[in-house]
Amino acid sequence: MAERIPEVLQKKLSDRLSFYDDLGIRLFYKDRSAAQSHVGSSRSLQQHSHEETTLPKPARKPEPMKLPPSALRAAAKGEALPKVTGPSLFEAVNKIVGDTLLKIREDLGECTRCKLHKARNKIVFGDGNPKAQLVFVGEGPGHDEDMQGLPFVGRAGKLLTQMIEAMGLQRKDVYICNVVKCRPPDNRTPEKDEVTTCSPFLLRQLDAIAPKVIVCLGSVAAQTLLETNRGISHFRGEWLEFRGRKLLATYHPAYLLRNPSAKSEVWKDLQKVMAVLGLEVKKGKSA
Ligand code: SF4
């Protein structure tokens, strides 16, 4: 049986090998005379003379993290590192195992993660085709939605339905959801912490559906997905990108109820969407 190298010596040997490994030296040869004179050398090391010997591999140091040039420049100037925009570990795992709307709904459960749960009647998760090519994202449920547990079923919802039908589609062809799943009291705008808490579920929904086009209805949806504070008027009707998908922001149907003259702008936006989806654009038709 081969003699065990004492632990202290093993450690020293490993450290030394690590040092050589860092220098790029990975092959070792032993000299018989040196080996014979070495007190405590293992018998196995004395079996061959001037031949390649396999030594225990040093513990590998983890590879240093490679930063992109923009991060290196920022670090050199002492600025904050740019935000990492890749998927979180959670998202990455979900991608591997295959997330589904059903699983996301199960994970949401009877959610109490933010204060909006206190006044809600029903969670409004989303509705429509789980494999839709087109997803509409609104801000949050209103009174009717909260009562029924379905998105866009009130007056603004009826207008959205008309818009969808004017595109030559039906509600069951698309998917409709919101940034927050519970109604904000008095239909106020969702607060930042509420959006931050709830929006990961929206992101998972979008990843699971994998639509060709995402249409953001109003500022909150657009600002959440685009991670911007800019007003919607700066980018309404422009094609933007969200995680490799086409995104277009337009006015919320509730805004159109208050400002009917903006309908023609929204119709122009939706015609752009129709063109990308290969839907026939009928001239002069609007919701
Ligand atoms: S808004 Fe979203 S995070 Fe907040 S309680 Fe409702 S489901 Fe949960």
Side-chain angles (χ1 to χ4, degrees):
M1 213 172 86
E3 231 176 70
R4 268 187 71 78
I5 303 174
E7 219 166 278
V8 182
L9 193 57
Q10 273 184 38
K11 169 89 178 59
K12 277 187 181 170
L13 193 56
S14 177
D15 289 345
R16 179 58 62 97
L17 290 171
S18 288
F19 172 72
Y20 288 136
D21 192 54
D22 287 343
L23 297 179
I25 301 167
R26 298 193 178 93
L27 289 177
F28 295 86
Y29 299 84
K30 76 176 179 58
D31 181 286
R32 177 186 286 272
S33 56
Q36 280 172 343
S37 65
H38 193 287
V39 180
S41 297
S42 80
R43 215 175 283 151
S44 59
L45 288 182
Q46 296 171 11
Q47 284 169 353
H48 310 285
S49 176
H50 281 86
E51 62 190 13
E52 195 176 312
T53 303
T54 307
L55 292 176
K57 282 199 169 168
R60 273 230 167 253
K61 285 183 188 168
E63 287 285 324
M65 194 169 75
K66 286 190 180 110
L67 292 172
S70 59
L72 291 172
R73 281 197 297 276
K77 288 184 202 162
E79 294 170 357
L81 290 178
K83 199 171 169 189
V84 176
T85 52
S88 67
L89 180 60
F90 182 67
E91 288 165 341
V93 168
N94 270 326
K95 247 186 191 136
I96 292 163
V97 299
D99 214 0
T100 64
L101 292 177
L102 195 64
K103 185 168 184 313
I104 300 163
R105 182 64 189 90
E106 278 174 12
D107 289 348
L108 190 65
E110 277 308 298
C111 185
T112 55
R113 292 172 179 85
C114 85
K115 58 187 178 297
L116 288 182
H117 81 277
K118 291 179 190 163
R120 77 159 179 247
N121 183 45
K122 284 187 176 167
I123 288 180
V124 181
F125 180 68
D127 187 38
N129 181 353
K131 289 285 161 225
Q133 290 275 286
L134 173 59
V135 173
F136 289 95
V137 181
E139 178 178 312
H143 172 265
D144 294 319
E145 290 77 16
D146 178 59
M147 295 309 290
Q148 295 185 41
L150 290 168
F152 283 90
V153 288
R155 277 182 69 219
K158 287 200 174 73
L159 180 54
L160 177 62
T161 304
Q162 286 172 5
M163 286 157 44
I164 292 167
E165 288 172 354
M167 295 173 77
L169 297 168
Q170 296 187 356
R171 273 182 71 120
K172 65 179 176 51
D173 297 323
V174 303
Y175 193 85
I176 306 172
C177 54
N178 287 303
V179 172
V180 292
K181 314 295 186 208
C182 301
R183 182 193 181 195
D186 302 320
N187 292 347
R188 66 161 169 75
T189 304
E191 290 169 2
K192 198 170 183 304
D193 62 309
E194 295 158 355
V195 169
T196 304
T197 309
C198 204
S199 58
F201 293 99
L202 168 65
L203 302 187
R204 284 178 64 189
Q205 283 173 297
L206 294 174
D207 279 347
I209 299 167
K212 193 167 183 182
V213 175
I214 298 164
V215 171
C216 290
L217 300 168
S219 300
V220 173
Q223 290 173 341
T224 301
L225 294 187
L226 298 170
E227 298 185 70
T228 180
N229 293 324
R230 298 178 79 208
I232 191 170
S233 57
H234 292 284
F235 50 81
R236 199 217 89 243
E238 282 175 28
W239 281 119
L240 300 162
E241 199 203 292
F242 172 75
R243 300 199 198 201
R245 303 186 196 292
K246 290 178 93 70
L247 181 150
L248 183 140
T250 194
Y251 295 126
H252 194 285
Y255 174 81
L256 297 182
L257 291 175
R258 297 191 300 274
N259 304 278
S261 61
K263 277 187 185 177
S264 59
E265 296 303 310
V266 172
W267 181 237
K268 280 183 204 156
D269 297 342
L270 294 182
Q271 284 180 312
K272 291 181 186 173
V273 174
M274 290 165 70
V276 167
L277 294 178
L279 298 169
E280 193 188 345
V281 178
K282 287 175 189 154
K283 287 213 164 63
K285 189 171 182 184
S286 70

